[in-house]
Amino acid sequence: TSWRQPGANGLCTSPLQAFPGAPSKCRCDEGFTVPIRVPGFITVDKVALDGNGSPLPGDPTLFDFSISGPDVGPVNPALPDDFQLADGDEHTSPPLETTDADGNVVGPYQVTETTPDHWDLVSASCTRDKATPSDINDDITFDYTNGGDIQPLPGEVVACTFTNKRQTGTLKLVKTVTNDDGGTAGPNNWWLYATAAAPDDSFNFSNLGGTGVSQTVFAGVGYDLAESAVAGYTAGSWSCDGGALVG
């Protein structure tokens, strides 16, 4: 790179007096340096799992995140960086200062997630690329489930993945039959159904009235309870131990 120094003395006294691209080079005092401030970045990926720990691709639940850190330099006043992610989404932070004008380290930074109701954070991990994204052999992965400080190197991307799992409960359907008018039917003459609307329908189930066992269902989701019809019998009311019965 060549530089041109305006003025008659040809001496650089400030970075602002050097112009790139000129055909000549100015006479700079020994030891004169122009610090180059290279930012780092933090990326955040979201993974959502169902109650069995299986992937929930396309789950629409939004998770609130924030990247925070020191408010210094020309870039970081953009912090905190608040954003939302659903399953499969990724967010890249704005450029994060890693050094100040004097070459001093700037940081650290933190990533926080606000977990929605009926979800648990099961793990979070981050991988540092050591500012060499094409060389995975020097990557370092560390646990971030309990949060902490992240200090990106100049030019480094720290990639974090947050994995959340839906909370579950159990539901058992049992049929009681009252034969007070000559009837002889038993509980297994009825089918019982528990149905939630999509996209919360992966735990829907049915069973014969006398064979009910506790089934895993999503917490915080309404299930419609129904039974098949048997001639000569009138449906009674539902009752529940625990949970909330509506209607």
Side-chain angles (χ1 to χ4, degrees), residues 13 17 19 21 23 31 44 53 59 68-69 93 95 100 140 152 157 168-170 194 197 208 225 227 229:
T13 60
Q17 294 177 338
F19 294 83
V44 180
D59 185 87
S68 58
S93 72
D100 62 19
I140 298 176
V157 176
T168 59
T170 59
L208 290 173
L225 306 182
E227 66 176 3

Side-chain angles (χ1 to χ4, degrees), residues 44-49 59 61-65 84-91 113 115-116 119-121 123 160-165:
V44 180
D45 290 271
K46 166 51 56 189
V47 175
L49 305 176
D59 185 87
T61 305
L62 292 174
F63 295 78
D64 293 321
F65 286 89
Q84 292 183 314
L85 297 178
D87 178 71
D89 290 344
E90 179 180 275
H91 174 81
E113 177 193 75
T115 305
W119 288 83
D120 293 317
L121 174 65
S123 69
C160 298
T161 300
F162 284 71
T163 301
N164 293 74
K165 180 181 175 182

Side-chain angles (χ1 to χ4, degrees), residues 20-104:
S24 60
K25 186 177 180 181
C26 66
R27 295 187 293 107
C28 294
D29 281 344
E30 264 189 53
F32 181 81
T33 58
V34 180
I36 300 175
R37 300 165 69 177
V38 180
F41 296 87
I42 296 175
T43 65
V44 180
D45 290 271
K46 166 51 56 189
V47 175
L49 305 176
D50 69 14
N52 289 325
S54 300
L56 277 174
D59 185 87
T61 305
L62 292 174
F63 295 78
D64 293 321
F65 286 89
S66 183
I67 297 175
S68 58
D71 292 331
V72 297
V75 175
N76 285 9
L79 297 180
D81 176 26
D82 299 324
F83 55 95
Q84 292 183 314
L85 297 178
D87 178 71
D89 290 344
E90 179 180 275
H91 174 81
T92 300
S93 72
L96 303 174
E97 297 282 0
T98 56
T99 57
D100 62 19
D102 297 320
N104 300 311

